[in-house]
Coordinates of all heavy atoms in Angstrom, one line a residue:
M15 N 9.3 -32.9 -54.9 CA 9.2 -31.6 -54.4 C 10.1 -30.6 -55.0 O 11.3 -31.0 -55.4 CB 9.6 -31.7 -52.8 CG 9.1 -30.4 -52.1 SD 9.7 -30.5 -50.4 CE 8.7 -31.7 -49.7
S16 N 9.7 -29.5 -55.4 CA 10.5 -28.6 -56.1 C 11.6 -27.9 -55.2 O 11.3 -27.7 -54.1 CB 9.7 -27.5 -56.8 OG 9.0 -26.8 -55.9
K17 N 12.7 -27.6 -55.8 CA 13.7 -26.9 -54.9 C 13.4 -25.5 -54.8 O 12.7 -24.9 -55.6 CB 15.1 -27.1 -55.7 CG 15.7 -28.4 -55.5 CD 17.0 -28.5 -56.2 CE 17.7 -29.9 -55.9 NZ 18.9 -30.0 -56.7
G18 N 14.0 -24.9 -53.7 CA 13.7 -23.5 -53.5 C 12.5 -23.2 -52.6 O 12.4 -22.0 -52.2
F19 N 11.8 -24.2 -52.2 CA 10.8 -24.0 -51.2 C 11.1 -24.8 -50.0 O 11.5 -25.9 -50.0 CB 9.4 -24.4 -51.7 CG 8.9 -23.6 -52.9 CD1 9.2 -23.8 -54.2 CD2 8.2 -22.4 -52.6 CE1 8.7 -23.1 -55.3 CE2 7.7 -21.6 -53.6 CZ 8.0 -21.9 -54.9
R20 N 11.0 -24.1 -48.8 CA 11.1 -24.9 -47.6 C 9.9 -25.8 -47.4 O 8.8 -25.6 -47.7 CB 11.1 -23.9 -46.5 CG 12.3 -22.9 -46.5 CD 12.2 -22.1 -45.2 NE 13.3 -21.0 -45.3 CZ 14.5 -21.2 -45.0 NH1 15.0 -22.4 -44.7 NH2 15.4 -20.1 -45.1
S21 N 10.2 -26.9 -46.8 CA 9.1 -27.8 -46.4 C 8.3 -27.2 -45.2 O 8.8 -26.4 -44.6 CB 9.7 -29.2 -45.9 OG 10.3 -29.0 -44.7
A22 N 7.1 -27.6 -45.1 CA 6.2 -27.0 -44.2 C 6.8 -27.3 -42.7 O 6.8 -26.4 -42.0 CB 4.9 -27.8 -44.3
D23 N 7.5 -28.4 -42.5 CA 8.1 -28.7 -41.2 C 9.2 -27.7 -40.8 O 9.3 -27.2 -39.8 CB 8.6 -30.2 -41.2 CG 7.5 -31.2 -40.9 OD1 6.4 -30.7 -40.6 OD2 7.8 -32.4 -41.0
E24 N 10.0 -27.5 -42.0 CA 11.1 -26.6 -41.7 C 10.6 -25.1 -41.4 O 11.1 -24.5 -40.5 CB 12.0 -26.5 -43.0 CG 13.4 -26.2 -42.7 CD 14.2 -26.2 -44.0 OE1 13.9 -26.9 -44.9 OE2 15.2 -25.3 -44.1
T25 N 9.6 -24.7 -42.1 CA 9.0 -23.4 -41.9 C 8.5 -23.3 -40.5 O 8.7 -22.3 -39.8 CB 7.9 -23.1 -42.9 OG1 8.4 -23.4 -44.2 CG2 7.5 -21.7 -42.8
Q26 N 7.9 -24.4 -40.1 CA 7.2 -24.3 -38.7 C 8.3 -24.4 -37.7 O 8.2 -23.5 -36.8 CB 6.4 -25.7 -38.6 CG 5.6 -25.7 -37.3 CD 4.6 -24.5 -37.0 OE1 3.9 -24.2 -37.9 NE2 4.7 -23.9 -35.9
A27 N 9.4 -25.1 -37.9 CA 10.4 -25.1 -37.0 C 11.1 -23.6 -36.8 O 11.4 -23.3 -35.8 CB 11.5 -26.1 -37.4
L28 N 11.2 -23.0 -38.0 CA 11.8 -21.7 -37.9 C 11.0 -20.7 -37.2 O 11.4 -19.9 -36.4 CB 12.0 -21.2 -39.3 CG 13.2 -21.8 -40.1 CD1 13.3 -21.3 -41.6 CD2 14.5 -21.3 -39.4
S29 N 9.6 -20.8 -37.3 CA 8.7 -19.9 -36.7 C 8.6 -20.2 -35.2 O 8.6 -19.3 -34.4 CB 7.4 -19.8 -37.5 OG 6.6 -20.9 -37.2
D30 N 8.7 -21.4 -34.9 CA 8.7 -21.9 -33.5 C 9.9 -21.2 -32.8 O 9.9 -20.8 -31.7 CB 8.8 -23.4 -33.4 CG 7.4 -24.0 -33.5 OD1 6.4 -23.2 -33.6 OD2 7.3 -25.2 -33.5
Q31 N 11.0 -21.3 -33.5 CA 12.3 -20.8 -33.0 C 12.3 -19.2 -32.8 O 12.5 -18.7 -31.7 CB 13.5 -21.1 -33.9 CG 14.8 -21.0 -33.2 CD 15.9 -21.0 -34.3 OE1 15.7 -21.4 -35.4 NE2 17.1 -20.7 -33.9
A32 N 11.6 -18.6 -33.7 CA 11.4 -17.2 -33.6 C 10.5 -16.9 -32.4 O 10.8 -15.9 -31.7 CB 10.9 -16.6 -34.8
V33 N 9.4 -17.6 -32.3 CA 8.5 -17.3 -31.1 C 9.2 -17.6 -29.8 O 9.1 -16.7 -28.9 CB 7.3 -18.3 -31.2 CG1 6.5 -18.2 -29.9 CG2 6.4 -17.7 -32.4
S34 N 10.1 -18.7 -29.6 CA 10.7 -19.0 -28.4 C 11.8 -17.9 -28.1 O 12.0 -17.6 -27.0 CB 11.2 -20.4 -28.2 OG 12.1 -20.5 -29.2
E35 N 12.4 -17.4 -29.1 CA 13.4 -16.3 -28.8 C 12.8 -15.1 -28.4 O 13.2 -14.4 -27.4 CB 14.2 -16.0 -30.2 CG 15.3 -17.0 -30.4 CD 16.0 -16.8 -31.7 OE1 15.7 -15.8 -32.3 OE2 16.8 -17.6 -32.1
T36 N 11.6 -14.8 -28.9 CA 10.9 -13.5 -28.5 C 10.4 -13.8 -27.0 O 10.5 -12.8 -26.2 CB 9.7 -13.3 -29.3 OG1 10.2 -13.3 -30.7 CG2 9.0 -12.0 -29.1
I37 N 9.9 -15.0 -26.8 CA 9.4 -15.2 -25.3 C 10.5 -15.1 -24.4 O 10.4 -14.5 -23.4 CB 8.7 -16.5 -25.2 CG1 7.4 -16.5 -26.0 CG2 8.4 -16.9 -23.8 CD1 6.7 -17.7 -26.2
G38 N 11.7 -15.7 -24.8 CA 12.9 -15.6 -24.0 C 13.3 -14.2 -23.7 O 13.7 -13.9 -22.5
E39 N 13.3 -13.3 -24.7 CA 13.7 -12.0 -24.5 C 12.7 -11.2 -23.6 O 13.1 -10.5 -22.7 CB 13.6 -11.2 -25.8 CG 14.9 -11.3 -26.6 CD 14.7 -10.6 -28.0 OE1 14.0 -9.7 -28.2 OE2 15.4 -11.2 -28.9
I40 N 11.4 -11.6 -23.7 CA 10.5 -10.9 -22.9 C 10.6 -11.3 -21.4 O 10.6 -10.5 -20.5 CB 9.0 -11.2 -23.3 CG1 8.7 -10.4 -24.7 CG2 7.9 -10.8 -22.4 CD1 7.4 -11.0 -25.4
L41 N 10.9 -12.6 -21.2 CA 11.0 -13.2 -19.9 C 12.3 -12.6 -19.3 O 12.3 -12.2 -18.1 CB 11.1 -14.7 -19.9 CG 9.9 -15.4 -20.1 CD1 10.1 -17.0 -20.2 CD2 8.8 -15.1 -19.1
A42 N 13.4 -12.4 -20.1 CA 14.6 -11.9 -19.6 C 14.5 -10.4 -19.1 O 14.8 -10.0 -18.1 CB 15.7 -11.9 -20.6
K43 N 13.6 -9.7 -19.9 CA 13.3 -8.3 -19.6 C 12.4 -8.2 -18.3 O 12.8 -7.4 -17.5 CB 12.5 -7.7 -20.8 CG 13.2 -6.7 -21.5 CD 12.3 -6.1 -22.6 CE 12.7 -4.7 -23.0 NZ 11.8 -4.2 -24.0
D44 N 11.5 -9.0 -18.2 CA 10.7 -9.1 -17.0 C 11.5 -9.3 -15.8 O 11.3 -8.8 -14.7 CB 9.6 -10.2 -17.1 CG 8.4 -9.8 -17.9 OD1 8.4 -8.6 -18.4 OD2 7.4 -10.5 -18.1
R45 N 12.5 -10.3 -15.8 CA 13.3 -10.7 -14.8 C 14.2 -9.5 -14.4 O 14.3 -9.1 -13.2 CB 14.1 -11.9 -15.1 CG 14.4 -12.7 -13.9 CD 14.9 -14.1 -14.2 NE 15.6 -14.1 -15.5 CZ 15.4 -15.0 -16.5 NH1 14.4 -15.9 -16.4 NH2 16.1 -15.1 -17.6
Q46 N 14.8 -8.8 -15.4 CA 15.5 -7.6 -15.1 C 14.7 -6.5 -14.4 O 15.2 -6.0 -13.4 CB 16.0 -7.0 -16.4 CG 17.3 -7.5 -16.9 CD 17.7 -7.0 -18.3 OE1 17.0 -6.2 -18.8 NE2 18.7 -7.5 -18.9
Q47 N 13.5 -6.4 -14.8 CA 12.6 -5.3 -14.2 C 12.3 -5.7 -12.8 O 12.2 -4.9 -12.0 CB 11.4 -5.1 -15.2 CG 10.4 -4.1 -14.6 CD 11.0 -2.8 -14.5 OE1 11.8 -2.4 -15.1 NE2 10.4 -2.0 -13.5
E48 N 12.1 -7.0 -12.7 CA 11.7 -7.4 -11.2 C 12.9 -7.2 -10.3 O 12.7 -6.8 -9.1 CB 11.3 -8.9 -11.2 CG 9.8 -9.0 -11.5 CD 9.3 -10.3 -11.6 OE1 9.9 -11.3 -11.0 OE2 8.3 -10.5 -12.3
E49 N 14.1 -7.5 -10.8 CA 15.3 -7.3 -10.0 C 15.5 -5.8 -9.7 O 15.8 -5.4 -8.6 CB 16.5 -7.9 -10.6 CG 16.6 -9.3 -10.5 CD 17.7 -9.9 -11.5 OE1 18.6 -9.2 -12.0 OE2 17.8 -11.1 -11.7
H50 N 15.3 -5.0 -10.8 CA 15.4 -3.6 -10.6 C 14.4 -3.1 -9.5 O 14.7 -2.2 -8.7 CB 15.1 -2.9 -11.9 CG 15.2 -1.4 -11.9 ND1 16.3 -0.8 -11.5 CD2 14.3 -0.5 -12.2 CE1 16.1 0.5 -11.6 NE2 14.8 0.7 -12.0
A51 N 13.1 -3.6 -9.7 CA 12.1 -3.1 -8.7 C 12.5 -3.5 -7.2 O 12.2 -2.7 -6.3 CB 10.7 -3.8 -9.1
A52 N 13.1 -4.6 -7.1 CA 13.4 -5.1 -5.8 C 14.6 -4.2 -5.2 O 14.6 -3.9 -4.1 CB 14.0 -6.6 -5.9
E53 N 15.4 -3.8 -6.1 CA 16.5 -2.8 -5.7 C 15.9 -1.4 -5.3 O 16.3 -0.9 -4.3 CB 17.4 -2.6 -7.0 CG 18.8 -2.5 -6.7 CD 19.6 -2.5 -8.0 OE1 19.9 -3.7 -8.4 OE2 19.9 -1.4 -8.5
V54 N 15.0 -1.0 -6.1 CA 14.3 0.3 -5.9 C 13.5 0.1 -4.5 O 13.6 1.1 -3.6 CB 13.2 0.6 -7.0 CG1 12.4 1.8 -6.5 CG2 13.9 1.0 -8.2
R55 N 12.9 -1.0 -4.3 CA 12.2 -1.2 -3.0 C 13.2 -1.2 -1.8 O 12.9 -0.7 -0.8 CB 11.5 -2.6 -3.0 CG 10.2 -2.6 -2.3 CD 9.5 -4.0 -2.6 NE 9.2 -4.1 -4.1 CZ 8.8 -5.3 -4.7 NH1 8.8 -6.4 -4.0 NH2 8.6 -5.3 -5.9
A56 N 14.3 -1.8 -1.9 CA 15.3 -1.9 -1.0 C 15.8 -0.5 -0.5 O 16.2 -0.2 0.6 CB 16.5 -2.8 -1.4
H57 N 15.7 0.5 -1.5 CA 16.3 1.8 -1.2 C 15.0 2.7 -0.8 O 15.2 3.9 -0.7 CB 16.9 2.4 -2.5 CG 18.3 1.8 -2.6 ND1 18.4 0.7 -3.5 CD2 19.5 2.0 -2.2 CE1 19.7 0.3 -3.5 NE2 20.4 1.0 -2.7
G58 N 13.8 2.1 -0.6 CA 12.8 2.8 -0.1 C 12.0 3.7 -1.1 O 11.2 4.6 -0.8
G59 N 12.4 3.5 -2.3 CA 11.8 4.3 -3.4 C 10.5 3.6 -4.0 O 10.0 4.2 -5.1
Y60 N 10.1 2.6 -3.5 CA 9.0 1.8 -4.1 C 7.7 2.5 -4.1 O 7.4 3.1 -3.1 CB 8.9 0.4 -3.4 CG 7.9 -0.5 -4.1 CD1 8.2 -0.9 -5.4 CD2 6.7 -0.8 -3.5 CE1 7.3 -1.8 -6.0 CE2 5.7 -1.6 -4.1 CZ 6.1 -2.1 -5.4 OH 5.2 -2.9 -6.1
G61 N 7.0 2.5 -5.2 CA 5.8 3.2 -5.3 C 5.8 4.6 -5.9 O 4.9 5.2 -6.0
M62 N 7.2 4.9 -6.1 CA 7.4 6.3 -6.6 C 7.9 6.1 -8.1 O 8.8 5.2 -8.2 CB 8.4 7.1 -5.9 CG 8.1 7.3 -4.3 SD 6.5 8.2 -4.0 CE 7.2 9.9 -4.1
C63 N 7.5 7.0 -9.0 CA 8.0 6.9 -10.3 C 9.5 7.3 -10.4 O 9.8 8.4 -9.8 CB 7.1 7.8 -11.2 SG 7.8 8.0 -12.9
E64 N 10.3 6.5 -10.9 CA 11.7 6.9 -10.9 C 12.1 8.0 -11.9 O 13.2 8.5 -11.8 CB 12.6 5.7 -11.1 CG 12.3 4.9 -12.4 CD 13.3 3.7 -12.5 OE1 14.2 3.6 -11.9 OE2 12.8 2.7 -13.3
D65 N 11.1 8.4 -12.7 CA 11.5 9.5 -13.7 C 10.9 10.8 -13.2 O 11.6 11.8 -13.2 CB 10.9 9.1 -15.1 CG 11.7 8.1 -15.8 OD1 12.7 7.7 -15.3 OD2 11.3 7.6 -17.0
C66 N 9.6 10.8 -12.9 CA 9.0 12.1 -12.4 C 8.8 12.2 -11.0 O 8.6 13.3 -10.4 CB 7.6 12.3 -13.2 SG 6.3 11.3 -12.6
G67 N 9.1 11.1 -10.2 CA 9.1 11.3 -8.8 C 7.7 11.2 -8.1 O 7.6 11.4 -6.9
R68 N 6.7 11.1 -9.0 CA 5.4 11.2 -8.4 C 5.0 9.8 -8.1 O 5.5 8.8 -8.4 CB 4.3 11.7 -9.4 CG 4.2 13.3 -9.3 CD 3.2 13.8 -10.3 NE 4.0 13.9 -11.7 CZ 3.5 14.6 -12.6 NH1 2.5 15.5 -12.5 NH2 4.2 14.8 -13.7
A69 N 3.9 9.7 -7.2 CA 3.5 8.4 -6.8 C 2.9 7.6 -8.0 O 2.1 8.1 -8.7 CB 2.4 8.5 -5.7
I70 N 3.2 6.3 -8.0 CA 2.7 5.5 -9.0 C 1.3 5.0 -8.5 O 1.2 4.7 -7.3 CB 3.5 4.2 -9.2 CG1 4.9 4.6 -9.7 CG2 2.9 3.3 -10.3 CD1 5.9 3.5 -9.8
G71 N 0.3 5.0 -9.3 CA -1.1 4.6 -8.8 C -1.1 3.3 -8.1 O -0.4 2.4 -8.5
K72 N -1.9 3.2 -7.1 CA -2.1 1.9 -6.4 C -2.5 0.9 -7.4 O -2.1 -0.3 -7.2 CB -3.0 2.1 -5.2 CG -3.1 1.0 -4.2 CD -3.8 1.5 -3.0 CE -4.5 0.3 -2.3 NZ -5.9 0.0 -2.7
E73 N -3.5 1.1 -8.1 CA -4.0 0.1 -9.0 C -3.0 -0.4 -9.9 O -2.9 -1.6 -10.3 CB -5.2 0.7 -9.9 CG -6.4 0.7 -9.1 CD -7.5 1.5 -9.8 OE1 -7.5 1.6 -11.1 OE2 -8.4 2.0 -9.0
R74 N -2.1 0.5 -10.5 CA -1.0 0.1 -11.3 C 0.0 -0.8 -10.6 O 0.4 -1.9 -11.1 CB -0.2 1.4 -11.9 CG 0.9 1.0 -12.7 CD 1.4 2.2 -13.5 NE 2.7 2.1 -14.0 CZ 3.0 1.3 -15.1 NH1 2.1 0.5 -15.7 NH2 4.3 1.2 -15.5
L75 N 0.3 -0.5 -9.4 CA 1.2 -1.3 -8.6 C 0.6 -2.7 -8.3 O 1.3 -3.6 -8.2 CB 1.6 -0.7 -7.2 CG 2.6 0.4 -7.5 CD1 2.8 1.2 -6.2 CD2 3.9 0.0 -8.0
E76 N -0.7 -2.7 -8.1 CA -1.4 -3.9 -7.8 C -1.4 -4.8 -9.1 O -1.1 -6.0 -9.0 CB -2.8 -3.7 -7.3 CG -2.9 -3.6 -5.8 CD -4.3 -3.1 -5.4 OE1 -5.2 -3.1 -6.2 OE2 -4.3 -2.7 -4.2
A77 N -1.7 -4.2 -10.2 CA -1.6 -4.9 -11.5 C -0.1 -5.3 -11.9 O -0.1 -6.3 -12.5 CB -2.3 -4.1 -12.6
L78 N 0.8 -4.5 -11.6 CA 2.1 -4.8 -12.0 C 3.1 -4.4 -10.9 O 3.6 -3.2 -10.8 CB 2.4 -3.9 -13.3 CG 3.6 -4.0 -14.0 CD1 3.7 -5.5 -14.7 CD2 4.0 -3.0 -15.0
P79 N 3.3 -5.3 -9.9 CA 4.1 -5.0 -8.7 C 5.5 -4.5 -9.1 O 6.2 -3.9 -8.2 CB 4.1 -6.3 -7.9 CG 2.9 -7.0 -8.4 CD 2.7 -6.6 -9.9
S80 N 6.0 -4.9 -10.2 CA 7.4 -4.6 -10.6 C 7.5 -3.2 -11.3 O 8.5 -2.9 -11.7 CB 8.0 -5.7 -11.4 OG 7.4 -5.7 -12.6
A81 N 6.4 -2.5 -11.3 CA 6.5 -1.1 -12.0 C 7.3 -0.1 -11.1 O 7.2 -0.1 -10.0 CB 5.0 -0.6 -12.1
T82 N 8.2 0.6 -11.9 CA 9.0 1.6 -11.2 C 8.7 2.9 -11.8 O 9.4 3.9 -11.6 CB 10.5 1.2 -11.2 OG1 10.8 0.9 -12.6 CG2 10.7 0.1 -10.4
R83 N 7.7 2.9 -12.8 CA 7.5 4.2 -13.4 C 5.9 4.3 -13.5 O 5.2 3.5 -13.6 CB 8.0 4.3 -14.9 CG 9.5 4.5 -15.0 CD 9.9 4.6 -16.5 NE 11.3 4.6 -16.6 CZ 12.1 3.6 -16.6 NH1 11.6 2.4 -16.6 NH2 13.4 3.8 -16.6
C84 N 5.4 5.7 -13.5 CA 4.0 5.8 -13.7 C 3.6 5.5 -15.1 O 4.6 5.4 -16.0 CB 3.7 7.3 -13.3 SG 4.2 8.5 -14.4
V85 N 2.4 5.4 -15.4 CA 2.0 5.1 -16.8 C 2.6 6.1 -17.8 O 3.1 5.5 -18.8 CB 0.4 5.0 -16.9 CG1 -0.1 4.7 -18.3 CG2 -0.1 4.1 -15.8
A86 N 2.5 7.2 -17.6 CA 3.0 8.2 -18.6 C 4.4 8.1 -18.8 O 4.9 8.0 -20.0 CB 2.7 9.7 -18.1
C87 N 5.3 8.0 -17.8 CA 6.7 7.9 -17.9 C 7.1 6.5 -18.6 O 8.0 6.5 -19.4 CB 7.4 8.1 -16.7 SG 7.3 9.7 -16.0
Q88 N 6.3 5.5 -18.2 CA 6.6 4.2 -18.8 C 6.2 4.2 -20.3 O 7.1 3.7 -21.1 CB 5.6 3.2 -18.2 CG 5.9 1.7 -18.6 CD 7.3 1.2 -18.2 OE1 7.7 1.4 -17.1 NE2 7.9 0.3 -19.0
A89 N 5.2 4.9 -20.8 CA 5.0 5.0 -22.1 C 6.1 5.7 -22.8 O 6.6 5.3 -24.0 CB 3.6 5.7 -22.4
T90 N 6.6 6.8 -22.3 CA 7.7 7.7 -22.9 C 8.9 6.8 -23.0 O 9.6 6.8 -23.9 CB 7.9 8.9 -22.0 OG1 6.7 9.5 -21.8 CG2 9.0 9.8 -22.7
W91 N 9.2 6.0 -21.9 CA 10.4 5.2 -21.8 C 10.3 4.1 -22.8 O 11.3 3.8 -23.5 CB 10.5 4.6 -20.4 CG 11.8 3.8 -20.2 CD1 13.0 4.3 -19.8 CD2 11.9 2.4 -20.4 NE1 13.9 3.3 -19.7 CE2 13.3 2.0 -20.1 CE3 11.1 1.4 -20.8 CZ2 13.8 0.8 -20.2 CZ3 11.6 0.1 -20.8 CH2 12.9 -0.1 -20.6
E92 N 9.2 3.5 -23.0 CA 9.1 2.4 -24.0 C 9.2 2.8 -25.4 O 9.8 2.2 -26.2 CB 7.6 1.6 -23.8 CG 7.8 0.6 -22.7 CD 6.5 -0.1 -22.4 OE1 5.5 0.1 -23.2 OE2 6.5 -0.8 -21.3
Q93 N 8.7 4.1 -25.6 CA 9.0 4.7 -27.0 C 10.3 4.9 -27.3 O 10.9 4.7 -28.4 CB 8.1 6.0 -27.1 CG 6.9 5.8 -27.9 CD 6.0 7.0 -28.0 OE1 6.4 8.0 -27.6 NE2 4.9 6.8 -28.5
A94 N 11.1 5.4 -26.3 CA 12.5 5.7 -26.4 C 13.3 4.5 -26.5 O 14.3 4.4 -27.1 CB 13.0 6.6 -25.3
N95 N 12.9 3.4 -25.8 CA 13.6 2.1 -25.8 C 13.2 1.1 -26.8 O 13.7 -0.1 -26.7 CB 13.7 1.7 -24.4 CG 14.6 2.5 -23.5 OD1 15.8 2.3 -23.5 ND2 14.0 3.5 -22.9
R96 N 12.3 1.4 -27.6 CA 11.8 0.4 -28.5 C 12.9 0.1 -29.5 O 13.6 1.0 -30.0 CB 10.6 0.9 -29.2 CG 9.7 -0.2 -29.8 CD 8.3 0.3 -30.2 NE 7.5 0.6 -29.0 CZ 6.4 1.3 -28.9 NH1 6.0 1.8 -30.0 NH2 5.8 1.4 -27.8
P97 N 13.2 -1.2 -29.8 CA 14.2 -1.5 -30.7 C 13.9 -1.1 -32.2 O 12.8 -1.0 -32.5 CB 14.3 -3.1 -30.7 CG 13.3 -3.6 -29.9 CD 12.5 -2.4 -29.2
Ligands
LIG106 ZN1 6.4 9.3 -14.0

């Protein structure tokens, strides 16, 4: 085998690691958001967008019970917080 090339196994292991790190980050973010949503709920603000104060659509809450922003504010927030 020539030097300077990673073996297939090593390459696979590296990409597996990258994938599990990404999944871990997403899960940690989801957990944070769920805790945050529970906090908002405890303060009686559940179902209201925390940015614009308008009601979050019922369909959105059914699809994503941990949502604390309306679709428009969430899109803006994600753009601003994208790494
Ligand atoms: Zn909003």
Side-chain angles (χ1 to χ4, degrees):
M15 194 188 287
S16 57
K17 283 185 176 173
F19 289 96
R20 293 183 189 282
S21 72
D23 279 353
E24 203 181 329
T25 309
Q26 184 60 46
L28 283 173
S29 69
D30 280 355
Q31 196 188 346
V33 167
S34 61
E35 274 174 17
T36 308
I37 292 172
E39 269 173 37
I40 292 170
L41 288 179
K43 248 183 155 181
D44 276 2
R45 213 166 24 232
Q46 271 178 4
Q47 177 60 29
E48 269 172 32
E49 281 169 16
H50 179 61
E53 220 170 272
V54 170
R55 212 172 297 166
H57 290 92
Y60 187 65
M62 306 296 277
C63 172
E64 59 183 334
D65 283 357
C66 70
R68 274 179 278 203
I70 301 171
K72 189 168 154 270
E73 278 171 24
R74 174 164 165 74
L75 284 174
E76 274 170 11
L78 189 67
S80 65
T82 51
R83 287 182 184 87
C84 69
V85 178
C87 292
Q88 184 68 35
T90 308
W91 184 87
E92 273 174 17
Q93 253 174 13
N95 289 275
R96 204 165 285 168

